[in-house]
Structure formats: C-alpha cells, structure tokens
Amino acid sequence: MAGVNMTGVSPKTAQVSDLIWKYMRPENMPHIWCPGCGHGIIMREVAQAVENLGIDRDKLMIVSGIGCSSRAAGYMDANTLHTTHGRAIAFATGIKIANPELEVIVLTGDGDASAIGGNHLIHACRRNIGLTVVVMNNSIYGMTGGQYSPTTPTGEFGTTAPYGNIDRDFDVAQLAIGAGATYAAKGSVYHVPQTVKLIENGIKHKGFSIIDVADVCPTYYGRKNKKGSAVNMMQYQKDNMVPADKAKTMTEEELKGKIVVGLLKETEYPEYTEEYQKIIDRFVKGAK
Amino acid sequence: MMKKLVINSAWCKGCGICAAFCPKGALEVVKEKVRRKEGTDCILCGQCELRCPDYAIYVDETKEDGNA
C-alpha cells in the first residue's frame, strides 16, 4: 500500500479489480461521493489513462483543491497532495518547477478550477507549464449544498439561483484555449473509452493540457433542475453527444445543451520548465 | 484465462448505472444493491465496470492456476 511499496503491487486483500487495487486506496472505500456521482467514473478514467501509458507511480503526482471532486487525491494511491480551495494548479506549478520529471495531474472541480482558481488556471495556460488538468465539471458546487457555479448554464437552477441563473456560463475548455492552453479536450462520464484516450493524450502532450469532463451530479444539479436520476443524466449525455469535429461547424445556438466530446486544440509551444532549465544552465555555465 | 463477473455489494450504492447500460439487461437493482438478473446472459463485456462510480462491479480475469 501507500508508502510501503509504491512501484510493486501487493496481493489483493479487497474485492476490487486489478486497476482499482493498483491506483486507489481501498482502505478509504467506499468513497463519500453520492450514489450515481460521476466523480468515481472520472477518477477511474484517469487511473486507466495512467495504466495505459505505463507511468511509474513514483513519478506520478496527483494534486487536488477543495470540493467534492478534490477528494480524489485521498482515494488515489500515488504521490498525492490535497491543497487549498482553487490553488491546486498553483501548488502543482510549484511541484512541476521543482520536479520536472514528475507527471503532475490536477484533479479539480468546475468551481475550484474556473471560479476560485480561475486566476491560476489562466496563468498556467499562458505559461504552458507541463501539467494535465482534469476538470470534473458537474456544473454546480456540490459539497457546499448546490450553489450555482461558473459553469451552470444560464436559466438553470441552484440553491443560490432559485429563480434561474442569470449569469452566462463559462466553457472551461474554450476559456483555457483563450488563455493559451496548448492542449484542450472535452470528455464525459458516459463516453469512457474516448475520455480515457483524451486524458492519455493530454498526459503525453508536452505543455499545459486540460480535459474538461462533463460530469453528473444527481443529488444537487439533478434535483434542482429536474434532470432525474444518475441514469437519466447519463442517458442524456449519450443522446446529446456531439463529436468535437462536428461541433466546430455548429452555431452556439445549435450547441446549447449538447455534450461535446473530443479534441478541441493541440499545438506546440515551448514548455515552461524546459525554458526555465535553459536559464539555469546558462548561469551554471557562466559560473564555471 | 478465466473471466467472471464480480459484484462487491459492500461498495455498491445502488445508483443503477450498470444495470441501465448493460447491453444484455443482465443486471438488476434490488434493495439498493445490484445483482445478476436470473435467466439472463452476461457476456463479460465490462461495460458495467467502465461506468461504475463505486468500483463495485468488474470482470475478473483469473489465470488457470487460480491466481490473479
């Protein structure tokens, strides 16, 4: 288990699949997430992506902020850090600069990433630092009781929007692209194999990558907006999925309520820690 | 290689996602726990495992000597 033997995997003592046994801490399960909450599915998608890439768990760093989603750092078995609200990307930036050899994955919620931590998000995008940010986007603040978040669609309800939300909602992936992210994709909890692949490519990508995953929160978002059970919400994702390539040809009006899945952007730009190393090398050479 | 479906009822929260998206309709939720539906076939496709938020259902692959 954690701390004892990070690279090897001990024989199973709980009734779980090999993947979960390897990447999770079964002693902390069952987790606290509500029945039907998609966070567990996204956490598994991340574990599967890491497994597919064969990343050594000693080189894997999971960082999270605050919120339902951010409990993930406590459930995953790797180097993990559970930080303060909205600051997961800030902590992750520090970790990456000090240890560029680590694969740093940030697991965060929509509020944590785009509201409280919005500042850190845009500047990490701008710097193109080699982090992989997975946004568990359930369009609501779950842990604190269903307040509307920056990704709650206009007109939808939350405990703090009893007459409907009049704010315009953020598209987190587009926000990141606007701020200079070099890899941006959108996944969902229904389209698991596709999302695993998008996370995998995001981890492989050199530079900042963000995967905005459409999540389901049946307890708050579902109840407040009469979306039905977790099954109904997953079925909605299945029925309303639009591939990213097709979405590019559609208007904003046509895309309303659709679940976009696929790669939105992938470009190359110098990675921050490499540029930083060049400056260190220049001075080390100069000192000799 | 032997494959079998395993259900860990202690972790199941009865959300019903696995049962709803099972292509063979081989699962049912009774008293907030999932179980195999009698008279149906499980084809061990693993769709349930992909979407179980609680890691309570999976396809186990056991080698012929009985070890995982």
Side-chain angles (χ1 to χ4, degrees), chain A residues 123-200:
Chain A
H123 290 287
C125 292
R126 178 174 65 84
R127 289 182 178 128
N128 195 35
I129 186 159
L131 310 176
T132 306
V133 177
V134 178
V135 183
M136 299 179 171
N137 190 347
N138 57 10
S139 306
I140 205 143
Y141 287 101
M143 185 172 272
T144 46
Q147 293 84 358
Y148 68 91
S149 87
T151 61
T152 307
T154 313
E156 300 275 81
F157 297 87
T159 46
T160 46
Y163 310 113
N165 177 24
I166 58 168
D167 289 12
R168 277 200 293 174
D169 50 305
F170 262 150
D171 181 325
V172 180
Q174 294 295 351
L175 170 72
I177 291 171
T182 49
Y183 180 101
K186 282 184 168 199
S188 87
V189 290
Y190 180 79
H191 306 91
V192 176
Q194 294 92 325
T195 308
V196 169
K197 196 75 203 155
L198 291 166
I199 297 174
E200 235 181 276

Coordinates of all heavy atoms in Angstrom, one line a residue, chain A residues 123-200:
Chain A
H123 N -3.2 31.6 -15.9 CA -1.8 31.8 -16.0 C -1.0 30.5 -16.2 O 0.1 30.6 -16.8 CB -1.3 32.6 -14.7 CG -1.9 34.0 -14.7 ND1 -1.3 34.9 -15.5 CD2 -2.9 34.5 -14.1 CE1 -2.0 36.0 -15.4 NE2 -3.0 35.8 -14.5
A124 N -1.5 29.4 -15.7 CA -0.8 28.1 -16.1 C -1.0 27.9 -17.6 O 0.0 27.4 -18.2 CB -1.4 27.0 -15.3
C125 N -2.1 28.2 -18.1 CA -2.3 28.1 -19.6 C -1.3 29.0 -20.3 O -0.7 28.5 -21.3 CB -3.8 28.5 -20.0 SG -5.1 27.5 -19.4
R126 N -1.2 30.2 -19.9 CA -0.4 31.2 -20.5 C 1.1 30.7 -20.5 O 1.8 30.9 -21.5 CB -0.5 32.5 -19.8 CG 0.3 33.7 -20.3 CD -0.1 34.9 -19.5 NE 0.2 34.9 -18.1 CZ 1.4 35.2 -17.6 NH1 2.4 35.5 -18.3 NH2 1.6 35.1 -16.3
R127 N 1.5 30.2 -19.4 CA 2.9 29.8 -19.3 C 3.2 28.5 -20.0 O 4.4 28.1 -20.2 CB 3.3 29.5 -17.8 CG 3.3 30.7 -17.0 CD 3.7 30.4 -15.5 NE 3.8 31.6 -14.7 CZ 3.2 31.7 -13.6 NH1 2.4 30.8 -13.1 NH2 3.3 32.9 -12.9
N128 N 2.2 27.7 -20.3 CA 2.3 26.4 -20.9 C 3.2 25.5 -20.1 O 4.1 24.9 -20.6 CB 2.9 26.6 -22.4 CG 2.7 25.3 -23.2 OD1 1.7 24.6 -23.0 ND2 3.7 25.0 -24.0
I129 N 2.9 25.4 -18.8 CA 3.7 24.5 -18.0 C 3.1 23.1 -18.1 O 1.9 23.0 -18.2 CB 3.7 25.0 -16.5 CG1 4.6 24.2 -15.6 CG2 2.3 25.2 -15.9 CD1 5.0 24.8 -14.4
G130 N 3.9 22.1 -18.0 CA 3.5 20.7 -18.3 C 2.6 20.1 -17.3 O 3.0 19.0 -16.7
L131 N 1.5 20.6 -17.0 CA 0.5 20.0 -16.1 C -0.6 19.4 -17.0 O -0.9 19.8 -18.1 CB -0.1 21.0 -15.2 CG 0.8 21.9 -14.4 CD1 -0.1 22.9 -13.6 CD2 1.7 21.2 -13.4
T132 N -1.3 18.4 -16.4 CA -2.5 17.9 -17.0 C -3.7 18.2 -16.0 O -3.6 17.7 -14.9 CB -2.4 16.3 -17.3 OG1 -1.2 16.1 -18.0 CG2 -3.6 15.8 -18.0
V133 N -4.6 19.0 -16.5 CA -5.7 19.3 -15.6 C -7.0 18.6 -16.0 O -7.4 18.8 -17.2 CB -5.9 20.9 -15.6 CG1 -7.1 21.2 -14.7 CG2 -4.7 21.6 -15.1
V134 N -7.5 17.8 -15.1 CA -8.8 17.1 -15.4 C -9.9 17.8 -14.6 O -9.9 17.8 -13.4 CB -8.7 15.6 -15.1 CG1 -10.1 15.0 -15.4 CG2 -7.6 15.0 -15.9
V135 N -10.8 18.5 -15.3 CA -11.9 19.2 -14.6 C -13.1 18.3 -14.5 O -13.7 17.9 -15.5 CB -12.3 20.5 -15.4 CG1 -13.3 21.3 -14.6 CG2 -11.0 21.4 -15.6
M136 N -13.5 18.0 -13.3 CA -14.7 17.2 -13.1 C -15.9 18.2 -13.0 O -16.2 18.7 -12.0 CB -14.6 16.5 -11.7 CG -13.4 15.5 -11.7 SD -13.4 14.7 -10.1 CE -12.1 13.4 -10.3
N137 N -16.4 18.4 -14.2 CA -17.4 19.5 -14.4 C -18.8 19.1 -14.3 O -19.4 18.7 -15.2 CB -17.1 20.1 -15.8 CG -17.8 21.4 -16.0 OD1 -18.7 21.8 -15.3 ND2 -17.5 22.1 -17.1
N138 N -19.3 19.3 -13.0 CA -20.7 18.9 -12.8 C -21.7 20.1 -12.7 O -22.8 20.0 -12.3 CB -20.9 18.0 -11.5 CG -20.3 18.7 -10.3 OD1 -20.1 19.9 -10.3 ND2 -20.2 17.9 -9.2
S139 N -21.2 21.3 -13.1 CA -22.0 22.5 -13.2 C -22.6 23.0 -11.9 O -23.6 23.7 -11.9 CB -23.1 22.3 -14.3 OG -22.5 21.9 -15.5
I140 N -22.0 22.6 -10.8 CA -22.6 23.0 -9.5 C -21.6 22.8 -8.4 O -20.7 22.1 -8.5 CB -23.9 22.2 -9.2 CG1 -24.9 23.0 -8.3 CG2 -23.6 20.9 -8.6 CD1 -26.3 22.9 -8.6
Y141 N -21.8 23.6 -7.3 CA -21.0 23.4 -6.1 C -21.7 22.3 -5.3 O -22.7 22.6 -4.6 CB -20.8 24.7 -5.3 CG -19.9 25.7 -5.9 CD1 -20.4 26.8 -6.6 CD2 -18.5 25.6 -5.8 CE1 -19.6 27.7 -7.2 CE2 -17.7 26.5 -6.3 CZ -18.2 27.6 -7.0 OH -17.4 28.5 -7.6
G142 N -21.2 21.1 -5.3 CA -21.9 20.0 -4.6 C -21.6 20.0 -3.1 O -22.6 19.9 -2.3
M143 N -20.4 20.1 -2.7 CA -20.0 19.9 -1.3 C -20.7 20.9 -0.4 O -21.1 20.6 0.7 CB -18.5 20.0 -1.2 CG -18.0 19.7 0.2 SD -16.2 19.6 0.3 CE -16.0 17.9 0.0
T144 N -20.9 22.2 -0.9 CA -21.5 23.2 0.0 C -23.0 23.3 -0.2 O -23.6 24.2 0.4 CB -20.8 24.6 -0.3 OG1 -20.8 24.7 -1.8 CG2 -19.4 24.6 0.2
G145 N -23.6 22.5 -1.0 CA -25.1 22.4 -1.0 C -25.8 22.9 -2.2 O -26.9 23.3 -2.2
G146 N -25.1 22.9 -3.4 CA -25.8 23.1 -4.6 C -25.9 24.6 -5.1 O -26.8 24.9 -5.8
Q147 N -24.9 25.4 -4.7 CA -24.9 26.8 -5.3 C -24.5 26.7 -6.7 O -23.8 25.8 -7.2 CB -23.9 27.6 -4.5 CG -24.2 27.9 -3.0 CD -23.8 26.8 -2.1 OE1 -23.3 25.7 -2.5 NE2 -24.1 26.9 -0.8
Y148 N -25.0 27.7 -7.5 CA -24.6 27.7 -8.9 C -23.1 28.1 -9.1 O -22.6 28.9 -8.3 CB -25.5 28.7 -9.8 CG -25.4 30.1 -9.5 CD1 -24.5 30.9 -10.2 CD2 -26.1 30.8 -8.5 CE1 -24.3 32.3 -10.0 CE2 -26.0 32.1 -8.3 CZ -25.1 32.9 -9.1 OH -25.0 34.2 -8.8
S149 N -22.5 27.5 -10.1 CA -21.1 27.7 -10.3 C -20.9 28.4 -11.7 O -21.9 28.7 -12.4 CB -20.4 26.4 -10.4 OG -20.4 25.8 -11.7
P150 N -19.7 28.8 -12.0 CA -19.5 29.5 -13.3 C -19.8 28.6 -14.5 O -19.9 29.2 -15.6 CB -18.0 29.8 -13.3 CG -17.5 29.8 -11.9 CD -18.4 28.7 -11.3
T151 N -20.0 27.3 -14.3 CA -20.4 26.5 -15.5 C -21.9 26.1 -15.5 O -22.3 25.3 -16.3 CB -19.5 25.2 -15.6 OG1 -19.7 24.5 -14.4 CG2 -18.1 25.6 -15.7
T152 N -22.7 26.6 -14.5 CA -24.1 26.4 -14.5 C -24.7 27.1 -15.7 O -24.6 28.3 -15.8 CB -24.8 26.9 -13.2 OG1 -24.0 26.3 -12.1 CG2 -26.2 26.5 -13.1
P153 N -25.4 26.4 -16.6 CA -25.9 27.1 -17.8 C -26.9 28.2 -17.4 O -27.6 28.0 -16.4 CB -26.6 26.0 -18.6 CG -25.9 24.7 -18.1 CD -25.6 24.9 -16.7
T154 N -27.0 29.2 -18.2 CA -28.0 30.3 -18.0 C -29.4 29.7 -17.9 O -29.7 28.9 -18.8 CB -27.9 31.3 -19.1 OG1 -26.5 31.6 -19.4 CG2 -28.6 32.6 -18.8
G155 N -30.1 30.2 -16.9 CA -31.5 29.7 -16.8 C -31.7 28.5 -16.0 O -32.8 28.2 -15.6
E156 N -30.6 27.8 -15.6 CA -30.7 26.6 -14.8 C -30.8 27.0 -13.3 O -30.5 28.2 -13.0 CB -29.5 25.7 -15.0 CG -29.4 25.2 -16.4 CD -30.2 23.9 -16.7 OE1 -31.5 24.1 -17.0 OE2 -29.7 22.9 -16.7
F157 N -31.1 26.1 -12.4 CA -31.3 26.4 -11.0 C -30.2 25.9 -10.1 O -29.6 24.9 -10.4 CB -32.7 25.9 -10.6 CG -33.8 26.5 -11.4 CD1 -34.3 26.0 -12.6 CD2 -34.5 27.6 -10.9 CE1 -35.3 26.5 -13.3 CE2 -35.5 28.2 -11.6 CZ -35.9 27.7 -12.8
G158 N -30.1 26.6 -9.0 CA -29.2 26.2 -7.9 C -29.8 26.7 -6.6 O -30.8 27.4 -6.7
T159 N -29.2 26.3 -5.5 CA -29.8 26.8 -4.2 C -29.7 28.3 -4.2 O -30.5 29.0 -3.5 CB -29.2 26.2 -3.0 OG1 -27.7 26.2 -3.2 CG2 -29.6 24.8 -2.8
T160 N -28.6 28.9 -4.8 CA -28.5 30.3 -4.8 C -29.1 31.0 -6.1 O -28.9 32.1 -6.3 CB -27.0 30.7 -4.7 OG1 -26.3 29.9 -5.6 CG2 -26.5 30.5 -3.3
A161 N -29.7 30.2 -6.9 CA -30.4 30.7 -8.1 C -31.8 30.1 -8.1 O -32.1 29.3 -9.0 CB -29.6 30.3 -9.4
P162 N -32.6 30.4 -7.1 CA -34.0 29.8 -7.0 C -34.9 30.2 -8.2 O -35.9 29.5 -8.4 CB -34.5 30.2 -5.7 CG -33.7 31.5 -5.4 CD -32.4 31.3 -6.0
Y163 N -34.6 31.3 -8.8 CA -35.5 31.8 -9.9 C -34.8 31.6 -11.3 O -35.2 32.2 -12.3 CB -35.9 33.3 -9.7 CG -36.4 33.5 -8.3 CD1 -35.7 34.3 -7.4 CD2 -37.6 33.0 -7.9 CE1 -36.1 34.5 -6.1 CE2 -38.1 33.1 -6.6 CZ -37.3 33.9 -5.7 OH -37.8 34.1 -4.5
G164 N -33.7 30.9 -11.3 CA -33.0 30.6 -12.5 C -31.7 31.5 -12.5 O -31.7 32.6 -12.1
N165 N -30.6 30.9 -13.1 CA -29.3 31.6 -13.1 C -29.3 32.6 -14.2 O -29.6 32.2 -15.4 CB -28.3 30.5 -13.3 CG -26.9 31.0 -13.5 OD1 -26.6 32.1 -13.0 ND2 -26.0 30.2 -14.1
I166 N -29.0 33.9 -13.9 CA -28.9 34.9 -15.0 C -27.5 35.1 -15.5 O -27.3 35.8 -16.5 CB -29.5 36.2 -14.5 CG1 -28.8 36.8 -13.3 CG2 -31.0 36.1 -14.3 CD1 -29.1 38.2 -13.0
D167 N -26.5 34.4 -14.9 CA -25.1 34.6 -15.3 C -25.0 33.8 -16.6 O -25.6 32.8 -16.9 CB -24.2 33.9 -14.3 CG -24.0 34.7 -13.0 OD1 -24.8 35.7 -12.8 OD2 -23.1 34.4 -12.3
R168 N -24.0 34.3 -17.4 CA -23.6 33.4 -18.6 C -22.6 32.4 -18.1 O -21.8 32.7 -17.2 CB -22.9 34.3 -19.6 CG -23.9 35.0 -20.5 CD -23.3 35.4 -21.8 NE -22.3 36.5 -21.6 CZ -21.5 36.9 -22.6 NH1 -21.6 36.4 -23.8 NH2 -20.7 37.9 -22.3
D169 N -22.7 31.2 -18.7 CA -21.8 30.2 -18.2 C -20.4 30.1 -19.0 O -20.4 30.5 -20.2 CB -22.4 28.8 -18.2 CG -23.1 28.5 -19.6 OD1 -23.9 29.3 -20.0 OD2 -22.8 27.5 -20.2
F170 N -19.4 29.7 -18.3 CA -18.1 29.5 -18.9 C -18.1 28.2 -19.6 O -18.6 27.2 -19.2 CB -17.0 29.4 -17.8 CG -16.3 30.6 -17.4 CD1 -15.8 30.8 -16.2 CD2 -16.0 31.5 -18.4 CE1 -15.1 31.9 -15.8 CE2 -15.2 32.7 -18.1 CZ -14.8 32.8 -16.8
D171 N -17.3 28.2 -20.7 CA -16.9 26.9 -21.4 C -15.5 26.8 -20.9 O -14.6 27.5 -21.5 CB -17.1 27.0 -22.9 CG -16.7 25.7 -23.6 OD1 -15.8 25.1 -23.1 OD2 -17.3 25.4 -24.6
V172 N -15.2 25.9 -20.0 CA -13.8 25.9 -19.4 C -12.8 25.6 -20.4 O -11.7 26.2 -20.4 CB -13.8 24.8 -18.2 CG1 -12.4 24.8 -17.6 CG2 -14.8 25.2 -17.2
A173 N -13.0 24.7 -21.3 CA -12.0 24.3 -22.3 C -11.7 25.5 -23.2 O -10.6 25.8 -23.5 CB -12.5 23.1 -23.2
Q174 N -12.8 26.3 -23.6 CA -12.6 27.4 -24.5 C -11.9 28.5 -23.7 O -11.1 29.3 -24.3 CB -13.9 27.9 -25.1 CG -14.6 27.0 -26.0 CD -13.9 26.7 -27.3 OE1 -12.9 27.4 -27.6 NE2 -14.3 25.7 -28.1
L175 N -12.2 28.7 -22.5 CA -11.5 29.6 -21.6 C -10.0 29.4 -21.6 O -9.2 30.3 -21.8 CB -12.1 29.6 -20.2 CG -11.3 30.4 -19.1 CD1 -11.6 31.9 -19.3 CD2 -11.8 29.9 -17.7
A176 N -9.7 28.1 -21.4 CA -8.3 27.7 -21.4 C -7.6 27.9 -22.8 O -6.5 28.4 -22.8 CB -8.2 26.2 -21.0
I177 N -8.3 27.7 -23.8 CA -7.7 27.9 -25.2 C -7.5 29.4 -25.3 O -6.4 29.8 -25.8 CB -8.7 27.4 -26.3 CG1 -8.7 25.9 -26.3 CG2 -8.3 27.9 -27.7 CD1 -9.8 25.2 -27.2
G178 N -8.4 30.2 -24.9 CA -8.3 31.7 -25.0 C -7.1 32.1 -24.2 O -6.4 33.1 -24.6
A179 N -6.8 31.4 -23.1 CA -5.7 31.8 -22.2 C -4.3 31.2 -22.7 O -3.3 31.5 -22.1 CB -5.9 31.4 -20.8
G180 N -4.4 30.4 -23.8 CA -3.1 29.9 -24.4 C -2.8 28.5 -24.1 O -1.7 28.0 -24.4
A181 N -3.8 27.7 -23.6 CA -3.5 26.3 -23.4 C -3.2 25.6 -24.8 O -3.8 26.0 -25.8 CB -4.8 25.6 -22.8
T182 N -2.2 24.7 -24.7 CA -1.8 24.1 -26.0 C -2.4 22.7 -26.2 O -2.3 22.1 -27.3 CB -0.2 23.9 -26.0 OG1 0.2 23.3 -24.8 CG2 0.5 25.2 -26.2
Y183 N -3.2 22.2 -25.3 CA -4.0 21.0 -25.5 C -5.3 21.2 -24.7 O -5.3 21.4 -23.5 CB -3.2 19.8 -25.0 CG -4.0 18.5 -25.1 CD1 -3.7 17.6 -26.2 CD2 -5.0 18.1 -24.2 CE1 -4.4 16.4 -26.3 CE2 -5.7 16.9 -24.4 CZ -5.4 16.1 -25.4 OH -6.1 14.9 -25.6
A184 N -6.4 21.1 -25.4 CA -7.7 21.2 -24.7 C -8.7 20.2 -25.3 O -8.7 20.1 -26.6 CB -8.3 22.6 -24.9
A185 N -9.3 19.5 -24.5 CA -10.3 18.4 -24.9 C -11.5 18.4 -24.0 O -11.5 18.9 -22.9 CB -9.6 17.1 -25.0
K186 N -12.5 17.8 -24.5 CA -13.7 17.6 -23.7 C -14.1 16.1 -23.7 O -14.2 15.5 -24.7 CB -14.9 18.4 -24.3 CG -14.8 19.9 -23.9 CD -16.0 20.6 -24.5 CE -16.1 22.0 -23.9 NZ -17.5 22.5 -24.0
G187 N -14.4 15.7 -22.5 CA -14.9 14.3 -22.3 C -16.2 14.2 -21.6 O -16.8 15.2 -21.3
S188 N -16.6 13.0 -21.2 CA -17.8 12.9 -20.4 C -17.7 11.6 -19.6 O -16.8 10.8 -19.8 CB -19.0 12.8 -21.3 OG -19.3 11.5 -21.7
V189 N -18.7 11.4 -18.7 CA -18.6 10.2 -17.9 C -19.3 9.1 -18.6 O -19.1 7.9 -18.2 CB -19.3 10.4 -16.5 CG1 -18.4 11.3 -15.6 CG2 -20.7 11.0 -16.5
Y190 N -20.1 9.4 -19.6 CA -20.7 8.3 -20.4 C -19.7 7.7 -21.4 O -19.6 6.5 -21.5 CB -22.0 8.7 -21.1 CG -22.6 7.5 -21.9 CD1 -23.3 6.5 -21.2 CD2 -22.3 7.3 -23.2 CE1 -23.8 5.4 -21.9 CE2 -22.8 6.2 -23.9 CZ -23.5 5.3 -23.2 OH -23.9 4.2 -23.9
H191 N -19.0 8.6 -22.1 CA -18.1 8.2 -23.1 C -16.7 7.8 -22.5 O -15.8 8.6 -22.7 CB -18.0 9.2 -24.2 CG -19.4 9.6 -24.7 ND1 -20.1 10.6 -24.2 CD2 -20.1 9.0 -25.7 CE1 -21.3 10.7 -24.8 NE2 -21.3 9.7 -25.8
V192 N -16.6 6.7 -21.8 CA -15.4 6.4 -21.1 C -14.2 6.1 -21.9 O -13.2 6.7 -21.7 CB -15.7 5.3 -20.1 CG1 -14.5 4.9 -19.3 CG2 -16.8 5.7 -19.1
P193 N -14.3 5.2 -22.9 CA -13.1 4.9 -23.7 C -12.5 6.1 -24.4 O -11.3 6.3 -24.4 CB -13.5 3.8 -24.7 CG -14.7 3.2 -24.1 CD -15.4 4.4 -23.3
Q194 N -13.4 7.0 -24.9 CA -13.0 8.2 -25.6 C -12.3 9.1 -24.6 O -11.2 9.7 -25.0 CB -14.2 8.9 -26.3 CG -14.8 8.2 -27.4 CD -16.0 7.3 -26.9 OE1 -16.0 6.8 -25.8 NE2 -17.0 7.2 -27.7
T195 N -12.9 9.3 -23.5 CA -12.3 10.2 -22.5 C -11.0 9.7 -22.0 O -10.0 10.5 -21.8 CB -13.3 10.4 -21.3 OG1 -14.6 10.8 -21.9 CG2 -12.9 11.5 -20.4
V196 N -10.8 8.4 -21.8 CA -9.6 7.8 -21.3 C -8.5 8.2 -22.4 O -7.4 8.6 -22.0 CB -9.7 6.3 -21.2 CG1 -8.3 5.7 -21.0 CG2 -10.5 5.9 -20.0
K197 N -8.8 8.0 -23.6 CA -7.8 8.3 -24.7 C -7.4 9.8 -24.7 O -6.3 10.2 -24.9 CB -8.5 8.0 -26.1 CG -7.5 7.9 -27.2 CD -6.7 6.6 -27.1 CE -5.4 6.7 -27.9 NZ -4.3 5.9 -27.4
L198 N -8.4 10.7 -24.5 CA -8.2 12.1 -24.4 C -7.3 12.5 -23.2 O -6.4 13.3 -23.4 CB -9.5 12.9 -24.4 CG -10.4 12.9 -25.6 CD1 -11.8 13.4 -25.3 CD2 -9.8 13.7 -26.7
I199 N -7.5 11.8 -22.1 CA -6.7 12.1 -20.9 C -5.3 11.6 -21.2 O -4.3 12.3 -20.9 CB -7.3 11.5 -19.6 CG1 -8.6 12.1 -19.3 CG2 -6.3 11.6 -18.4 CD1 -9.4 11.4 -18.2
E200 N -5.2 10.4 -21.8 CA -3.9 9.8 -22.1 C -3.1 10.8 -23.0 O -1.9 11.0 -22.7 CB -4.2 8.5 -23.0 CG -3.6 7.3 -22.4 CD -3.9 6.1 -23.4 OE1 -5.0 5.6 -23.2 OE2 -3.1 5.8 -24.3

